[in-house]
């Protein structure tokens, strides 16, 4: 009898372990496209583009009255909205996914929500669904579909908060539950009608995950689409990836999957007075930093109230397209690079760790040096250019395990106008010397 119990217990443990392994494999498979996407485009589009003011925060922070903010509904026309053109532009940039603000904190829905009157269909001259057509256009171009949704809603009559200093009510769980039910219904509409690949939630900071019913929400969303990816702002640590904002990380975030969301200028939505667009070169440097640390860049732009894209944003996306298409092998299907100090430039590695990619946004003085590389170098070439480069090793002592300095000569005529990429093919998986060095004991 005891032997039977042991066998049953062993079988139970094997089943549990297999389930865990299967679950981990399933999760890794689901996240695979995200890890390989590298570049996404964020689109903040809403009535705030009419006056060119901060989305939702304008009235929340009392910069403008709520009534004056909502007067922008009358000027939101979407007259030149061309979702197919949007999708083609995004694809040309090299981006593999896009995220549209279906509803920001102001509560204005960009689709024909059946549970709200505050929609662009019912309240603006646009008069039609703006989410569904874009999702279809993205799918047609082979781009993963992302929807931004704010879980808080400063306009909804059952949400507790109105502005930074005003509340509709406090400590009324029953009324707040009515609002949470509203969220679930709107997300059901979006999930069933648009079938997004990714939800980009926002606004979870005003309540606890238990109040948002975050666990139940995630379960319901996955019931509609088991392969759905959800960002970290759903609350309760339930997200699939982290979303640092604006500030470029200096060291790699702890999460295996992450993206930096960054504006092209200083504003999320379209602001006609904000001309402080970063140059394509500056944004590409940020992009390369994300690649180096194993993350994605979600680059934001704000369409105008008529649905047209600002020329500055179009130019930036075209430049991204030029660079990503030229250097595709050093962008997609790469992983985080080697630690800082081995080479004075960001790096990535191929999936098999046998190619070291080096990204240079400057011209080196004489030669580029790689330190602490134990491997033999088979060959080096300029990505997108094809030129093979010469290299040599200096300072290797026969008695020491410390590798010599590998120098790479780079002629002036191979440099890219923004960022030059070198591919270093090694004799095997990369092997770095990370010890303190050696002292001669016998000679």
């Amino acid at each position: 009898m005891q032997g039977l119990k042991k066998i049953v217990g062993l079988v139970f443990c094997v089943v549990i372990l297999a389930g865990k392994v299967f679950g981990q494999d399933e999760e890794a498979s689901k996240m695979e496209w995200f890890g390989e996407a590298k570049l996404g485009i964020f689109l903040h589009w809403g009535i705030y583009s009419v006056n060119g003011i901060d989305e939702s925060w304008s009235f929340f922070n009392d910069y403008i009255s709520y009534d004056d903010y909502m007067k922008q509904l009358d000027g939101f026309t979407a007259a030149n909205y061309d979702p197919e053109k949007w999708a083609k532009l995004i694809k040309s940039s090299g981006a593999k996914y896009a995220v549209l603000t279906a509803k920001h904190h102001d509560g204005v829905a960009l689709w024909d929500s059946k549970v709200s009157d505050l929609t662009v269909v019912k309240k603006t001259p646009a008069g039609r669904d703006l989410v569904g057509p874009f999702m279809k256009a993205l799918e047609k171009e082979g781009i993963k579909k992302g929807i931004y949704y704010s879980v808080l809603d400063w306009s909804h009559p059952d949400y507790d908060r109105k502005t930074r200093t005003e509340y509709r009510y406090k400590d009324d769980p029953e009324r707040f539950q009515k609002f949470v039910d509203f969220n679930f219904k709107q997300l059901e509409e979006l999930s069933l009608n648009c079938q997004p690949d990714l939800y980009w939630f926002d606004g979870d900071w005003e309540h606890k995950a238990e109040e948002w019913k975050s666990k139940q929400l995630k379960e319901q969303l996955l019931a509609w689409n088991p392969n759905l990816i959800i960002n970290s702002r759903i609350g309760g640590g339930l997200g699939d990836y982290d979303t640092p904002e604006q500030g470029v990380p200096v060291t790699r975030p702890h999460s295996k999957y992450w993206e930096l969301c960054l504006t092209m200028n200083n504003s999320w939505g379209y602001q006609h007075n904000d001309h402080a667009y970063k140059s394509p070169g500056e944004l590409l440097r940020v992009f390369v930093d994300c690649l180096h640390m194993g993350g994605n860049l979600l680059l934001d732009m704000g369409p105008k109230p008529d649905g047209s894209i600002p020329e500055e944003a179009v130019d930036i996306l075209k430049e991204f397209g030029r660079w990503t298409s030229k250097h595709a092998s050093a962008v997609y299907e790469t992983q985080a690079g080697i630690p800082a100090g081995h080479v004075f430039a960001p790096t990535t590695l191929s999936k098999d760790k046998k190619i070291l990619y080096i990204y240079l946004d400057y011209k080196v003085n004489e030669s580029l040096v790689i330190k602490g590389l134990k491997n033999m170098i088979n060959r080096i070439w300029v990505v997108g250019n094809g030129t093979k480069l010469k290299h040599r090793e200096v300072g290797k002592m026969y008695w020491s395990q410390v590798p010599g300095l590998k120098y790479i000569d780079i002629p002036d005529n191979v440099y890219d106008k923004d960022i030059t990429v070198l591919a270093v093919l090694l004799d095997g998986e990369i092997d770095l010397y990370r010890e303190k060095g050696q002292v001669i004991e016998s000679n």
Side-chain angles (χ1 to χ4, degrees):
M1 190 69 180
Q2 287 293 334
L4 180 61
K5 285 182 178 179
K6 287 182 179 179
I7 292 172
V8 171
L10 181 61
V11 169
F12 179 76
C13 290
V14 170
V15 170
I16 294 296
L17 180 60
K20 287 183 177 179
V21 171
F22 177 76
Q24 291 171 352
D25 290 345
E26 193 175 33
E27 185 70 17
S29 176
K30 184 177 77 168
M31 295 300 297
E32 186 175 358
W33 75 258
F34 183 84
E36 294 180 353
K38 307 304 179 186
L39 179 64
I41 301 301
F42 213 173
L43 298 101
H44 273 68
W45 196 31
I47 65 169
Y48 37 85
S49 61
V50 174
N51 290 346
I53 56 179
D54 291 341
E55 60 288 331
S56 309
W57 296 97
S58 299
F59 70 83
F60 183 79
N61 288 323
D62 295 322
Y63 300 152
I64 187 174
S65 71
Y66 178 80
D67 290 340
D68 284 340
Y69 180 91
M70 286 298 167
K71 287 178 182 177
Q72 295 177 104
L73 288 164
D74 297 333
F76 191 75
T77 66
N80 294 313
Y81 172 49
D82 187 340
E84 288 79 15
K85 187 175 180 180
W86 282 18
K88 288 182 184 300
L89 175 64
I90 289 167
K91 184 176 182 177
S92 72
S93 73
K96 302 300 183 182
Y97 65 108
V99 180
L100 174 66
T101 51
K103 190 189 78 169
H104 207 269
H105 312 322
D106 58 13
V108 181
L110 266 61
W111 78 99
D112 189 15
S113 177
K114 306 305 180 186
V115 294
S116 174
D117 288 330
L118 189 53
T119 74
V120 296
V121 180
K122 299 168 186 172
K123 297 289 187 180
T124 76
R128 65 190 189 280
D129 173 24
L130 303 176
V131 179
F134 182 51
M135 295 297 117
K136 289 179 181 177
L138 290 176
E139 187 170 355
K140 183 180 178 181
E141 296 295 336
I143 300 169
K144 293 293 185 179
K145 303 174 293 185
I147 289 179
Y148 169 107
Y149 183 88
S150 171
V151 293
L152 63 80
D153 185 335
W154 292 321
S155 291
H156 196 279
D158 287 321
Y159 188 67
D160 55 350
R161 198 161 189 175
K162 295 172 68 177
T163 69
R164 189 173 295 280
T165 57
E166 293 182 90
Y167 289 81
R168 290 184 181 86
Y169 62 89
K170 290 185 179 181
D171 302 321
D172 189 342
E174 186 175 338
R175 188 172 175 185
F176 190 77
Q177 182 58 48
K178 288 174 63 180
F179 172 72
V180 172
D181 292 340
F182 162 79
N183 270 353
F184 273 63
K185 290 173 184 175
Q186 283 204 322
L187 288 165
E188 180 178 8
E189 293 174 345
L190 289 168
S191 297
L192 298 183
N193 293 331
C194 300
Q195 301 175 331
D197 301 292
L198 180 152
Y199 267 116
W200 212 102
F201 287 111
D202 201 9
D204 64 311
W205 61 82
E206 287 196 345
H207 287 274
K208 295 178 180 178
E210 293 77 17
E211 296 173 278
W212 293 123
K213 299 291 191 289
S214 298
K215 184 174 183 293
Q216 296 91 322
L217 175 58
K218 183 174 182 179
E219 289 172 353
Q220 182 59 73
L221 293 172
L222 291 176
W224 288 320
N225 178 6
N227 294 316
L228 183 73
I229 292 174
I230 299 170
N231 76 333
S232 59
R233 303 187 190 190
I234 192 175
L238 297 170
D240 296 309
Y241 67 95
D242 286 339
T243 56
E245 184 172 324
Q246 294 289 54
V248 182
V250 177
T251 57
R252 183 177 179 177
H254 296 300
S255 176
K256 180 178 180 181
Y257 298 103
W258 64 274
E259 70 181 3
L260 170 67
C261 46
L262 181 77
T263 54
M264 290 183 177
N265 52 9
N266 294 323
S267 310
W268 293 105
Y270 174 69
Q271 295 196 18
H272 54 272
N273 290 321
D274 185 355
H275 304 294
Y277 281 86
K278 304 168 185 73
S279 72
E282 289 170 337
L283 290 169
L284 283 167
R285 289 187 189 104
V286 172
F287 180 42
V288 165
D289 277 341
C290 293
L291 296 177
H292 169 67
M293 292 183 282
N296 294 356
L297 174 64
L298 184 63
L299 185 60
D300 176 77
M301 63 180 179
K304 296 179 181 180
D306 68 353
S308 59
I309 306 296
E311 289 183 10
E312 296 93 336
V314 173
D315 291 342
I316 287 169
L317 293 184
K318 286 182 177 179
E319 282 300 306
F320 261 75
R322 181 202 70 81
W323 192 86
T324 56
S325 61
K326 179 181 178 181
H327 302 98
S329 60
V331 174
Y332 311 104
E333 298 189 16
T334 60
Q335 58 182 306
I338 60 177
H342 289 279
V343 58
F344 292 122
T347 61
T348 62
L349 291 166
S350 59
K351 279 192 169 183
D352 62 6
K353 297 186 179 181
K354 293 180 180 180
I355 300 178
L356 172 67
Y357 293 106
I358 304 173
Y359 305 80
L360 298 172
D361 65 351
Y362 63 94
K363 288 188 176 183
V364 300
N365 183 15
E366 293 188 10
S367 302
L368 180 72
V369 63
I370 306 175
K371 298 179 286 185
L373 179 64
K374 293 183 181 180
N375 302 77
M376 296 289 292
I377 295 175
N378 285 341
R379 65 179 178 271
I380 303 171
W381 68 94
V382 182
V383 178
N385 176 288
T387 301
K388 293 179 182 178
L389 302 181
K390 296 178 180 179
H391 66 279
R392 62 192 183 279
E393 187 171 23
V394 175
K396 177 70 177 87
M397 298 292 112
Y398 74 91
W399 51 264
S400 176
Q401 296 299 313
V402 181
L405 303 173
K406 270 86 169 178
Y407 281 94
I408 305 170
D409 297 326
I410 309 173
D412 285 346
N413 64 338
V414 303
Y415 282 97
D416 182 84
K417 73 182 187 69
D418 291 308
I419 297 173
T420 307
V421 186
L422 309 184
V424 182
L425 178 62
L426 308 172
D427 62 349
E429 187 173 310
I430 192 165
D431 189 11
L432 298 174
Y433 187 86
R434 303 283 293 167
E435 300 169 46
K436 65 179 181 179
Q438 289 184 297
V439 177
I440 186 169
E441 296 177 353
S442 177
N443 198 2

PDB file of all heavy atoms in Angstrom, residues 217-243:
ATOM      1  N   LEU A 217     -10.217  40.353 -14.869  1.00  0.00           N
ATOM      2  CA  LEU A 217     -10.165  40.986 -16.184  1.00  0.00           C
ATOM      3  C   LEU A 217      -9.196  40.246 -17.093  1.00  0.00           C
ATOM      4  O   LEU A 217      -9.518  39.948 -18.256  1.00  0.00           O
ATOM      5  CB  LEU A 217      -9.752  42.458 -16.046  1.00  0.00           C
ATOM      6  CG  LEU A 217      -9.549  43.223 -17.362  1.00  0.00           C
ATOM      7  CD1 LEU A 217     -10.815  43.200 -18.205  1.00  0.00           C
ATOM      8  CD2 LEU A 217      -9.107  44.657 -17.099  1.00  0.00           C
ATOM      9  N   LYS A 218      -8.014  39.942 -16.590  1.00  0.00           N
ATOM     10  CA  LYS A 218      -7.037  39.234 -17.412  1.00  0.00           C
ATOM     11  C   LYS A 218      -7.569  37.870 -17.825  1.00  0.00           C
ATOM     12  O   LYS A 218      -7.409  37.446 -18.983  1.00  0.00           O
ATOM     13  CB  LYS A 218      -5.710  39.090 -16.669  1.00  0.00           C
ATOM     14  CG  LYS A 218      -4.643  38.420 -17.520  1.00  0.00           C
ATOM     15  CD  LYS A 218      -3.285  38.385 -16.856  1.00  0.00           C
ATOM     16  CE  LYS A 218      -2.260  37.733 -17.797  1.00  0.00           C
ATOM     17  NZ  LYS A 218      -0.901  37.705 -17.200  1.00  0.00           N
ATOM     18  N   GLU A 219      -8.201  37.168 -16.888  1.00  0.00           N
ATOM     19  CA  GLU A 219      -8.760  35.856 -17.212  1.00  0.00           C
ATOM     20  C   GLU A 219      -9.806  35.963 -18.311  1.00  0.00           C
ATOM     21  O   GLU A 219      -9.854  35.129 -19.225  1.00  0.00           O
ATOM     22  CB  GLU A 219      -9.368  35.232 -15.951  1.00  0.00           C
ATOM     23  CG  GLU A 219      -8.338  34.794 -14.923  1.00  0.00           C
ATOM     24  CD  GLU A 219      -8.960  34.360 -13.611  1.00  0.00           C
ATOM     25  OE1 GLU A 219     -10.205  34.537 -13.451  1.00  0.00           O
ATOM     26  OE2 GLU A 219      -8.239  33.858 -12.735  1.00  0.00           O
ATOM     27  N   GLN A 220     -10.644  36.998 -18.237  1.00  0.00           N
ATOM     28  CA  GLN A 220     -11.673  37.179 -19.248  1.00  0.00           C
ATOM     29  C   GLN A 220     -11.073  37.534 -20.607  1.00  0.00           C
ATOM     30  O   GLN A 220     -11.489  37.018 -21.650  1.00  0.00           O
ATOM     31  CB  GLN A 220     -12.657  38.264 -18.818  1.00  0.00           C
ATOM     32  CG  GLN A 220     -13.806  38.512 -19.791  1.00  0.00           C
ATOM     33  CD  GLN A 220     -14.645  37.280 -20.033  1.00  0.00           C
ATOM     34  OE1 GLN A 220     -15.413  36.858 -19.171  1.00  0.00           O
ATOM     35  NE2 GLN A 220     -14.499  36.673 -21.206  1.00  0.00           N
ATOM     36  N   LEU A 221     -10.082  38.414 -20.607  1.00  0.00           N
ATOM     37  CA  LEU A 221      -9.425  38.795 -21.863  1.00  0.00           C
ATOM     38  C   LEU A 221      -8.760  37.596 -22.535  1.00  0.00           C
ATOM     39  O   LEU A 221      -8.829  37.434 -23.754  1.00  0.00           O
ATOM     40  CB  LEU A 221      -8.387  39.889 -21.599  1.00  0.00           C
ATOM     41  CG  LEU A 221      -8.925  41.249 -21.146  1.00  0.00           C
ATOM     42  CD1 LEU A 221      -7.772  42.163 -20.749  1.00  0.00           C
ATOM     43  CD2 LEU A 221      -9.771  41.899 -22.220  1.00  0.00           C
ATOM     44  N   LEU A 222      -8.142  36.742 -21.723  1.00  0.00           N
ATOM     45  CA  LEU A 222      -7.485  35.558 -22.270  1.00  0.00           C
ATOM     46  C   LEU A 222      -8.493  34.510 -22.731  1.00  0.00           C
ATOM     47  O   LEU A 222      -8.201  33.704 -23.616  1.00  0.00           O
ATOM     48  CB  LEU A 222      -6.533  34.953 -21.236  1.00  0.00           C
ATOM     49  CG  LEU A 222      -5.291  35.790 -20.912  1.00  0.00           C
ATOM     50  CD1 LEU A 222      -4.472  35.137 -19.810  1.00  0.00           C
ATOM     51  CD2 LEU A 222      -4.425  35.977 -22.154  1.00  0.00           C
ATOM     52  N   ALA A 223      -9.676  34.523 -22.141  1.00  0.00           N
ATOM     53  CA  ALA A 223     -10.734  33.626 -22.611  1.00  0.00           C
ATOM     54  C   ALA A 223     -11.167  34.015 -24.019  1.00  0.00           C
ATOM     55  O   ALA A 223     -11.481  33.155 -24.847  1.00  0.00           O
ATOM     56  CB  ALA A 223     -11.926  33.671 -21.655  1.00  0.00           C
ATOM     57  N   TRP A 224     -11.148  35.314 -24.299  1.00  0.00           N
ATOM     58  CA  TRP A 224     -11.482  35.790 -25.641  1.00  0.00           C
ATOM     59  C   TRP A 224     -10.334  35.562 -26.620  1.00  0.00           C
ATOM     60  O   TRP A 224     -10.557  35.307 -27.788  1.00  0.00           O
ATOM     61  CB  TRP A 224     -11.856  37.275 -25.618  1.00  0.00           C
ATOM     62  CG  TRP A 224     -13.193  37.541 -24.983  1.00  0.00           C
ATOM     63  CD1 TRP A 224     -14.326  36.806 -25.118  1.00  0.00           C
ATOM     64  CD2 TRP A 224     -13.518  38.620 -24.102  1.00  0.00           C
ATOM     65  NE1 TRP A 224     -15.348  37.369 -24.370  1.00  0.00           N
ATOM     66  CE2 TRP A 224     -14.879  38.485 -23.735  1.00  0.00           C
ATOM     67  CE3 TRP A 224     -12.796  39.700 -23.578  1.00  0.00           C
ATOM     68  CZ2 TRP A 224     -15.531  39.366 -22.897  1.00  0.00           C
ATOM     69  CZ3 TRP A 224     -13.443  40.589 -22.727  1.00  0.00           C
ATOM     70  CH2 TRP A 224     -14.796  40.422 -22.389  1.00  0.00           C
ATOM     71  N   ASN A 225      -9.106  35.693 -26.131  1.00  0.00           N
ATOM     72  CA  ASN A 225      -7.934  35.484 -26.984  1.00  0.00           C
ATOM     73  C   ASN A 225      -6.788  34.937 -26.138  1.00  0.00           C
ATOM     74  O   ASN A 225      -6.087  35.704 -25.460  1.00  0.00           O
ATOM     75  CB  ASN A 225      -7.510  36.787 -27.657  1.00  0.00           C
ATOM     76  CG  ASN A 225      -6.269  36.613 -28.521  1.00  0.00           C
ATOM     77  OD1 ASN A 225      -5.783  35.498 -28.712  1.00  0.00           O
ATOM     78  ND2 ASN A 225      -5.722  37.707 -29.024  1.00  0.00           N
ATOM     79  N   PRO A 226      -6.557  33.621 -26.156  1.00  0.00           N
ATOM     80  CA  PRO A 226      -5.509  33.009 -25.317  1.00  0.00           C
ATOM     81  C   PRO A 226      -4.106  33.516 -25.624  1.00  0.00           C
ATOM     82  O   PRO A 226      -3.213  33.422 -24.780  1.00  0.00           O
ATOM     83  CB  PRO A 226      -5.638  31.517 -25.650  1.00  0.00           C
ATOM     84  CG  PRO A 226      -7.018  31.347 -26.195  1.00  0.00           C
ATOM     85  CD  PRO A 226      -7.320  32.620 -26.920  1.00  0.00           C
ATOM     86  N   ASN A 227      -3.878  34.050 -26.824  1.00  0.00           N
ATOM     87  CA  ASN A 227      -2.545  34.528 -27.204  1.00  0.00           C
ATOM     88  C   ASN A 227      -2.346  36.009 -26.945  1.00  0.00           C
ATOM     89  O   ASN A 227      -1.322  36.583 -27.344  1.00  0.00           O
ATOM     90  CB  ASN A 227      -2.301  34.230 -28.687  1.00  0.00           C
ATOM     91  CG  ASN A 227      -2.231  32.746 -28.968  1.00  0.00           C
ATOM     92  OD1 ASN A 227      -1.594  31.998 -28.227  1.00  0.00           O
ATOM     93  ND2 ASN A 227      -2.887  32.293 -30.029  1.00  0.00           N
ATOM     94  N   LEU A 228      -3.302  36.637 -26.300  1.00  0.00           N
ATOM     95  CA  LEU A 228      -3.231  38.076 -26.029  1.00  0.00           C
ATOM     96  C   LEU A 228      -2.051  38.407 -25.120  1.00  0.00           C
ATOM     97  O   LEU A 228      -1.765  37.694 -24.165  1.00  0.00           O
ATOM     98  CB  LEU A 228      -4.532  38.538 -25.372  1.00  0.00           C
ATOM     99  CG  LEU A 228      -4.673  40.035 -25.085  1.00  0.00           C
ATOM    100  CD1 LEU A 228      -4.910  40.799 -26.380  1.00  0.00           C
ATOM    101  CD2 LEU A 228      -5.818  40.279 -24.111  1.00  0.00           C
ATOM    102  N   ILE A 229      -1.381  39.527 -25.427  1.00  0.00           N
ATOM    103  CA  ILE A 229      -0.306  40.059 -24.579  1.00  0.00           C
ATOM    104  C   ILE A 229      -0.825  41.310 -23.883  1.00  0.00           C
ATOM    105  O   ILE A 229      -1.517  42.131 -24.487  1.00  0.00           O
ATOM    106  CB  ILE A 229       0.939  40.388 -25.427  1.00  0.00           C
ATOM    107  CG1 ILE A 229       1.568  39.097 -25.965  1.00  0.00           C
ATOM    108  CG2 ILE A 229       1.968  41.166 -24.619  1.00  0.00           C
ATOM    109  CD1 ILE A 229       2.708  39.339 -26.922  1.00  0.00           C
ATOM    110  N   ILE A 230      -0.482  41.468 -22.603  1.00  0.00           N
ATOM    111  CA  ILE A 230      -0.984  42.577 -21.795  1.00  0.00           C
ATOM    112  C   ILE A 230       0.188  43.276 -21.127  1.00  0.00           C
ATOM    113  O   ILE A 230       1.077  42.620 -20.561  1.00  0.00           O
ATOM    114  CB  ILE A 230      -1.977  42.072 -20.729  1.00  0.00           C
ATOM    115  CG1 ILE A 230      -3.183  41.407 -21.410  1.00  0.00           C
ATOM    116  CG2 ILE A 230      -2.437  43.209 -19.824  1.00  0.00           C
ATOM    117  CD1 ILE A 230      -4.099  40.677 -20.454  1.00  0.00           C
ATOM    118  N   ASN A 231       0.203  44.609 -21.161  1.00  0.00           N
ATOM    119  CA  ASN A 231       1.325  45.330 -20.554  1.00  0.00           C
ATOM    120  C   ASN A 231       1.214  45.359 -19.038  1.00  0.00           C
ATOM    121  O   ASN A 231       0.259  44.832 -18.445  1.00  0.00           O
ATOM    122  CB  ASN A 231       1.430  46.747 -21.139  1.00  0.00           C
ATOM    123  CG  ASN A 231       0.380  47.691 -20.577  1.00  0.00           C
ATOM    124  OD1 ASN A 231      -0.697  47.273 -20.163  1.00  0.00           O
ATOM    125  ND2 ASN A 231       0.681  48.975 -20.565  1.00  0.00           N
ATOM    126  N   SER A 232       2.175  45.983 -18.400  1.00  0.00           N
ATOM    127  CA  SER A 232       2.309  45.909 -16.941  1.00  0.00           C
ATOM    128  C   SER A 232       1.337  46.799 -16.185  1.00  0.00           C
ATOM    129  O   SER A 232       1.286  46.738 -14.961  1.00  0.00           O
ATOM    130  CB  SER A 232       3.743  46.290 -16.545  1.00  0.00           C
ATOM    131  OG  SER A 232       4.042  47.603 -17.008  1.00  0.00           O
ATOM    132  N   ARG A 233       0.550  47.633 -16.888  1.00  0.00           N
ATOM    133  CA  ARG A 233      -0.277  48.615 -16.190  1.00  0.00           C
ATOM    134  C   ARG A 233      -1.710  48.135 -15.973  1.00  0.00           C
ATOM    135  O   ARG A 233      -2.633  48.939 -15.860  1.00  0.00           O
ATOM    136  CB  ARG A 233      -0.260  49.944 -16.947  1.00  0.00           C
ATOM    137  CG  ARG A 233       1.160  50.463 -17.132  1.00  0.00           C
ATOM    138  CD  ARG A 233       1.206  51.849 -17.714  1.00  0.00           C
ATOM    139  NE  ARG A 233       2.562  52.212 -18.097  1.00  0.00           N
ATOM    140  CZ  ARG A 233       2.938  53.433 -18.456  1.00  0.00           C
ATOM    141  NH1 ARG A 233       2.058  54.413 -18.502  1.00  0.00           N
ATOM    142  NH2 ARG A 233       4.189  53.687 -18.795  1.00  0.00           N
ATOM    143  N   ILE A 234      -1.876  46.840 -15.865  1.00  0.00           N
ATOM    144  CA  ILE A 234      -3.170  46.274 -15.530  1.00  0.00           C
ATOM    145  C   ILE A 234      -3.319  46.145 -14.016  1.00  0.00           C
ATOM    146  O   ILE A 234      -4.396  45.934 -13.488  1.00  0.00           O
ATOM    147  CB  ILE A 234      -3.354  44.895 -16.216  1.00  0.00           C
ATOM    148  CG1 ILE A 234      -4.802  44.434 -16.105  1.00  0.00           C
ATOM    149  CG2 ILE A 234      -2.386  43.877 -15.665  1.00  0.00           C
ATOM    150  CD1 ILE A 234      -5.101  43.145 -16.846  1.00  0.00           C
ATOM    151  N   GLY A 235      -2.199  46.280 -13.302  1.00  0.00           N
ATOM    152  CA  GLY A 235      -2.220  46.202 -11.844  1.00  0.00           C
ATOM    153  C   GLY A 235      -1.941  44.787 -11.347  1.00  0.00           C
ATOM    154  O   GLY A 235      -2.137  43.802 -12.054  1.00  0.00           O
ATOM    155  N   GLY A 236      -1.447  44.708 -10.122  1.00  0.00           N
ATOM    156  CA  GLY A 236      -1.265  43.421  -9.476  1.00  0.00           C
ATOM    157  C   GLY A 236      -0.113  42.591 -10.007  1.00  0.00           C
ATOM    158  O   GLY A 236      -0.028  41.391  -9.738  1.00  0.00           O
ATOM    159  N   GLY A 237       0.791  43.212 -10.763  1.00  0.00           N
ATOM    160  CA  GLY A 237       1.913  42.470 -11.313  1.00  0.00           C
ATOM    161  C   GLY A 237       1.503  41.408 -12.302  1.00  0.00           C
ATOM    162  O   GLY A 237       2.195  40.403 -12.488  1.00  0.00           O
ATOM    163  N   LEU A 238       0.381  41.600 -12.977  1.00  0.00           N
ATOM    164  CA  LEU A 238      -0.183  40.594 -13.869  1.00  0.00           C
ATOM    165  C   LEU A 238       0.213  40.776 -15.329  1.00  0.00           C
ATOM    166  O   LEU A 238      -0.170  39.984 -16.183  1.00  0.00           O
ATOM    167  CB  LEU A 238      -1.716  40.606 -13.761  1.00  0.00           C
ATOM    168  CG  LEU A 238      -2.293  40.250 -12.390  1.00  0.00           C
ATOM    169  CD1 LEU A 238      -3.794  40.547 -12.344  1.00  0.00           C
ATOM    170  CD2 LEU A 238      -2.040  38.785 -12.074  1.00  0.00           C
ATOM    171  N   GLY A 239       0.950  41.830 -15.636  1.00  0.00           N
ATOM    172  CA  GLY A 239       1.303  42.110 -17.021  1.00  0.00           C
ATOM    173  C   GLY A 239       2.376  41.183 -17.558  1.00  0.00           C
ATOM    174  O   GLY A 239       3.110  40.538 -16.800  1.00  0.00           O
ATOM    175  N   ASP A 240       2.458  41.122 -18.874  1.00  0.00           N
ATOM    176  CA  ASP A 240       3.439  40.275 -19.542  1.00  0.00           C
ATOM    177  C   ASP A 240       4.764  40.988 -19.793  1.00  0.00           C
ATOM    178  O   ASP A 240       5.771  40.332 -20.066  1.00  0.00           O
ATOM    179  CB  ASP A 240       2.882  39.801 -20.895  1.00  0.00           C
ATOM    180  CG  ASP A 240       1.651  38.926 -20.736  1.00  0.00           C
ATOM    181  OD1 ASP A 240       1.721  37.972 -19.944  1.00  0.00           O
ATOM    182  OD2 ASP A 240       0.627  39.210 -21.383  1.00  0.00           O
ATOM    183  N   TYR A 241       4.763  42.319 -19.761  1.00  0.00           N
ATOM    184  CA  TYR A 241       6.000  43.052 -20.021  1.00  0.00           C
ATOM    185  C   TYR A 241       5.929  44.435 -19.373  1.00  0.00           C
ATOM    186  O   TYR A 241       4.850  44.946 -19.076  1.00  0.00           O
ATOM    187  CB  TYR A 241       6.265  43.182 -21.521  1.00  0.00           C
ATOM    188  CG  TYR A 241       5.277  44.059 -22.283  1.00  0.00           C
ATOM    189  CD1 TYR A 241       5.563  45.403 -22.527  1.00  0.00           C
ATOM    190  CD2 TYR A 241       4.081  43.546 -22.764  1.00  0.00           C
ATOM    191  CE1 TYR A 241       4.669  46.212 -23.219  1.00  0.00           C
ATOM    192  CE2 TYR A 241       3.182  44.341 -23.454  1.00  0.00           C
ATOM    193  CZ  TYR A 241       3.478  45.676 -23.685  1.00  0.00           C
ATOM    194  OH  TYR A 241       2.591  46.471 -24.366  1.00  0.00           O
ATOM    195  N   ASP A 242       7.097  45.027 -19.133  1.00  0.00           N
ATOM    196  CA  ASP A 242       7.183  46.329 -18.470  1.00  0.00           C
ATOM    197  C   ASP A 242       7.216  47.462 -19.492  1.00  0.00           C
ATOM    198  O   ASP A 242       7.659  47.284 -20.628  1.00  0.00           O
ATOM    199  CB  ASP A 242       8.428  46.396 -17.588  1.00  0.00           C
ATOM    200  CG  ASP A 242       8.273  45.572 -16.319  1.00  0.00           C
ATOM    201  OD1 ASP A 242       7.124  45.288 -15.943  1.00  0.00           O
ATOM    202  OD2 ASP A 242       9.305  45.197 -15.730  1.00  0.00           O
ATOM    203  N   THR A 243       6.792  48.644 -19.048  1.00  0.00           N
ATOM    204  CA  THR A 243       6.692  49.789 -19.955  1.00  0.00           C
ATOM    205  C   THR A 243       7.289  51.048 -19.341  1.00  0.00           C
ATOM    206  O   THR A 243       6.573  51.963 -18.925  1.00  0.00           O
ATOM    207  CB  THR A 243       5.210  50.068 -20.308  1.00  0.00           C
ATOM    208  OG1 THR A 243       4.472  50.252 -19.088  1.00  0.00           O
ATOM    209  CG2 THR A 243       4.603  48.936 -21.082  1.00  0.00           C
TER     210      THR A 243
END
